Amino acid sequence: MKIVSQIREPIEHEMELFEEKFLQSMSSKVALFNRITYYIINRKGKQMRPMFVFLTAKLLNDGVVDERTYSGASIIELIHTASLVHDDVVDDSHKRRGFFSINALWKNKIAVLVGDFLFSRGVLVALEHKNYDLLHIISNAVRDMSEGELLQIEKARLLDITEEVYYDIIRQKTATLIAACCSMGACSVKPDTEHVETFRKFGELCGMAFQIKDDLFDYGAEKIGKPTGIDIKEQKMTLPLIYALNQSDKQQRRWLINSIKNHNKDKKRVKEVIAYVKQKGGLDYAVTKMLAFKDDALSLLQNYPDSDYKTALTLMVNYVVDRKK
């Protein structure tokens, strides 16, 4: 946790104020909803996404943020939280960060409605202050996230994902929201400048590295307390697996695809697939690609003067690829 505290240090005041404003943005006249949002707030994660918003804004604006930056951070966190609540329903997942998910405690119908409410609050936070440019950024992100999920489902049925299609999926599914965080931070203080696109790209590259790191966890690259092979069981085509397929002859490909399609619940077979992917160099290849995305992200920061915020963003990018969970 020490590294996260270091990243957060230059924006500690803003994050504390943000948490108050975020709680206000989630309030409702319905007691049941307030009970659920209280549950969500008390089980929040590291809040990396709002941190991206504040660090980007402060880097570009000599350490100063305004109400637009707080709105941007709230919009991002509301939409992100809504997507997690909906994801747990779609995936029939009963745990989130070690705690029971909303759908596990209050059932699917309530969880879907809570997600809808959070989405609507995200839109309203933008509209209340006439921040149409911020609304445009998050609307594009939500569209991309939905398309990415559907593209992954479509391709999983046939297991015909190329490396190029895989990048399209993770760009839309994961990277687009981190891209929105950084462009939102830039847009909140420097609207209609080239900085908005520069930091959108920066966030996208961070997001690509972030998702590849998640792929590596599925192969036991780190001991994180999460069972390995989850992506294989769910027939998700990750980068290590795609690379291994490309390095296989016809017979090996047939065995690999048959294993994923028809034997993904067989623990012994899943272990064999993991071992095969490692032996074919799938993990090493994925690490190389992840580090390339990280280096491309860091190169975009080089054009900006040194500051505590630039240092913290650099730490954040390195944390994305070095994290243990």
Side-chain angles (χ1 to χ4, degrees):
M1 201 60 181
K2 189 170 177 284
I3 185 74
V4 178
S5 301
Q6 277 180 267
I7 295 166
R8 191 178 158 119
E9 194 177 351
I11 49 166
E12 192 63 56
H13 171 70
E14 287 79 10
M15 287 299 292
E16 285 174 11
L17 193 52
F18 159 73
E19 285 178 23
E20 290 173 28
K21 290 174 180 283
F22 181 58
L23 186 55
Q24 288 167 9
S25 71
M26 292 174 83
S27 66
S28 163
K29 292 173 185 172
V30 179
L32 171 61
F33 186 81
N34 287 329
R35 272 207 307 280
I36 296 170
T37 54
Y38 181 79
Y39 180 82
I40 291 170
I41 288 284
N42 280 292
R43 282 148 191 83
K44 66 181 184 293
K46 300 180 191 76
Q47 294 188 304
M48 304 301 277
R49 286 160 188 83
M51 286 161 67
F52 268 120
V53 176
F54 287 114
L55 286 170
T56 301
K58 292 190 85 172
L59 180 145
L60 289 172
N61 206 37
D62 298 322
V64 179
V65 297
D66 57 23
E67 202 53 47
R68 269 168 60 83
T69 312
Y70 286 101
S71 291
S74 291
I75 292 163
I76 286 287
E77 196 67 351
L78 283 161
I79 299 297
H80 174 58
T81 307
S83 69
L84 295 182
V85 172
H86 280 170
D87 281 353
D88 287 339
V89 175
V90 171
D91 298 337
D92 197 24
S93 175
H94 290 166
K95 285 285 181 79
R96 165 77 55 186
R97 299 188 186 114
F99 296 99
F100 285 113
S101 58
I102 304 302
N103 51 303
L105 293 172
W106 284 280
K107 307 302 177 196
N108 283 352
K109 185 174 182 179
I110 288 175
V112 170
L113 293 169
V114 167
D116 290 348
F117 181 91
L118 293 171
F119 267 118
S120 70
R121 284 301 301 143
V123 172
L124 287 168
V125 165
L127 291 176
E128 280 160 10
H129 300 97
K130 296 185 168 54
N131 290 321
Y132 304 122
D133 49 356
L134 303 187
L135 181 59
H136 191 256
I137 288 169
I138 199 61
S139 298
N140 280 333
V142 172
R143 179 201 61 201
D144 288 350
M145 287 157 66
S146 305
E147 285 183 350
E149 287 285 357
L150 286 168
L151 180 59
Q152 184 173 54
I153 290 166
E154 178 186 65
K155 294 296 183 180
R157 288 176 182 161
L158 302 171
L159 300 184
D160 66 343
I161 295 181
T162 61
E163 191 171 328
E164 194 179 336
V165 170
Y166 164 82
Y167 291 136
D168 285 341
I169 289 170
I170 68 168
R171 186 175 289 111
Q172 291 183 297
K173 254 189 70 176
T174 303
T176 192
L177 191 59
I178 299 176
C181 296
C182 298
S183 57
M184 192 84 86
C187 189
S188 72
V189 293
K190 299 286 181 185
D192 304 317
T193 65
E194 74 281 0
H195 302 299
V196 179
E197 174 56 23
T198 298
F199 276 91
R200 186 204 65 78
K201 189 67 185 168
F202 168 79
E204 184 180 275
L205 291 163
C206 289
M208 300 292 277
F210 182 94
Q211 185 56 54
I212 296 172
K213 180 69 172 182
D214 265 9
D215 288 357
L216 290 164
F217 286 143
D218 201 53
Y219 291 86
E222 303 282 357
K223 298 291 180 195
I224 57 164
K226 166 191 161 186
T228 54
I230 294 292
D231 289 339
I232 295 166
K233 286 169 190 156
E234 293 177 359
Q235 298 186 39
K236 285 182 184 168
M237 295 294 283
T238 57
L239 188 55
L241 188 57
I242 292 165
Y243 180 81
L245 269 170
N246 289 339
Q247 303 305 307
S248 302
D249 61 31
K250 221 172 188 176
Q251 192 178 345
Q252 290 167 328
R253 281 177 70 88
R254 202 178 296 120
W255 172 81
L256 202 47
I257 289 170
N258 182 41
S259 299
I260 296 157
K261 269 192 173 175
N262 305 313
H263 303 281
N264 52 62
K265 302 288 189 286
D266 180 337
K267 286 183 181 176
K268 182 173 177 289
R269 191 73 165 256
V270 169
K271 276 185 180 173
E272 287 172 4
V273 169
I274 290 171
Y276 179 79
V277 170
K278 286 179 180 175
Q279 180 239 318
K280 282 290 182 183
L283 268 61
D284 293 337
Y285 182 78
V287 167
T288 302
K289 288 293 181 182
M290 175 183 74
L291 295 177
F293 282 119
K294 180 201 80 165
D295 290 342
D296 287 347
L298 290 175
S299 71
L300 291 176
L301 290 180
Q302 285 174 4
N303 300 323
Y304 293 92
D306 291 343
S307 66
D308 289 346
Y309 318 112
K310 180 179 173 179
T311 301
L313 278 172
T314 303
L315 278 173
M316 183 89 95
V317 178
N318 286 314
Y319 173 75
V320 160
V321 300
D322 293 336
R323 66 200 163 98
K324 304 300 180 193
K325 60 180 179 180

